[in-house]
Each structure stands twice: as C-alpha cells, then as structure tokens.
C-alpha cells in the first residue's frame, strides 16, 4: 500500500504498485502547497484508465471559478504566516492584485451565505 502525506491529509492508496494511472485536470479549488505554477491543477491517481476517464469527465463538468482559485491562493499565503497579512503583503505573497483580492472575498462571502449573483454579474 502506497502512502502520500501532504497538507492537509494523508491518503492511502489501495492500488497495487506499478498499476496506477495518473492524470491532471483543471480545478479551481486546488492549489499546490509550495509551487504556485501548479495552482489550478489537480493530479489524479486512479486504479484504471476507465476510472481516470470518469474523474476527468467529472472535472470537465465542474466550472473553473477564478475567484475560488484566488481564495485558495490567499488561504495558502495565510497558512504560511502566524500573523495577519495586509493587502499589500497578500498582493506580494499571492501575485494577485487588489481587484482579485476583493473579488475572492466577495465570492467567499456569497458562497458562505448562499447569496446568488445579481442580474448582470458574471
């Protein structure tokens, strides 16, 4: 049994060694713990090509939401510090701009309180 230990979980794979099938999909809820170049990509480990295809189809149907990705980038930056970060520090740490910081905060607020977008919003 192979084990992968990474933030925030440890995953035990019940796939015989040498038989796993791997793929990568776009996923706005996924950020890499240390490599921002891999943000928005989720690595999949599957027991068969058919299962990989099923998961890839699932992620194709899931919308890629930029504001969600930005919120995840902010979360990663906050986890790396023991104190609150200013907007200027968040901009430097995440590579986002102030408009993106505000959009991610609005997205998170609306999602938490289940508030729909108003007419005309994208």
């Amino acid at each position: 049994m192979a084990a992968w230990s990474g933030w925030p979980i440890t995953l035990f794979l019940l796939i015989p060694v040498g038989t796993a099938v791997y793929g990568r999909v776009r996923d706005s809820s996924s950020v890499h713990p240390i490599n921002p170049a891999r943000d928005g990509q989720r690595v999949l480990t599957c027991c068969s090509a058919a299962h990989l295809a099923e998961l890839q189809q699932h992620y194709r149907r899931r919308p890629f939401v930029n504001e969600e990705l930005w919120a995840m980038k902010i979360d990663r930056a906050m986890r790396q510090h023991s104190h609150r970060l200013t907007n200027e520090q968040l901009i430097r740490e995440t590579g986002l701009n102030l408009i993106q910081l505000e959009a991610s905060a609005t997205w998170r607020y609306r999602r938490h309180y289940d508030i729909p977008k108003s007419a005309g919003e994208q």
Side-chain angles (χ1 to χ4, degrees), residues 1 9 14 16 18 20 28 36 42 44 46 54-55 59 61 76 79 82 84 87 94 99 105 108 118 120:
M1 177 177 1
I9 60 170
L14 301 175
S28 56
R42 181 174 300 280
L44 303 174
C46 300
E54 180 183 335
L55 287 176
Y59 281 99
R61 288 188 302 266
R76 179 183 52 216
R79 283 192 306 270
S82 60
R84 289 185 62 154
N87 282 345
T94 63
I99 293 169
R108 189 180 299 266
S118 60

Side-chain angles (χ1 to χ4, degrees), residues 1-4 11-23 43-49 51-52 55:
M1 177 177 1
W4 174 82
L11 175 65
F12 290 94
L13 303 175
L14 301 175
I15 301 171
V17 175
T19 64
V21 179
Y22 302 94
V43 175
L44 303 174
T45 304
C46 300
C47 58
S48 68
H51 187 219
L52 176 61
L55 287 176

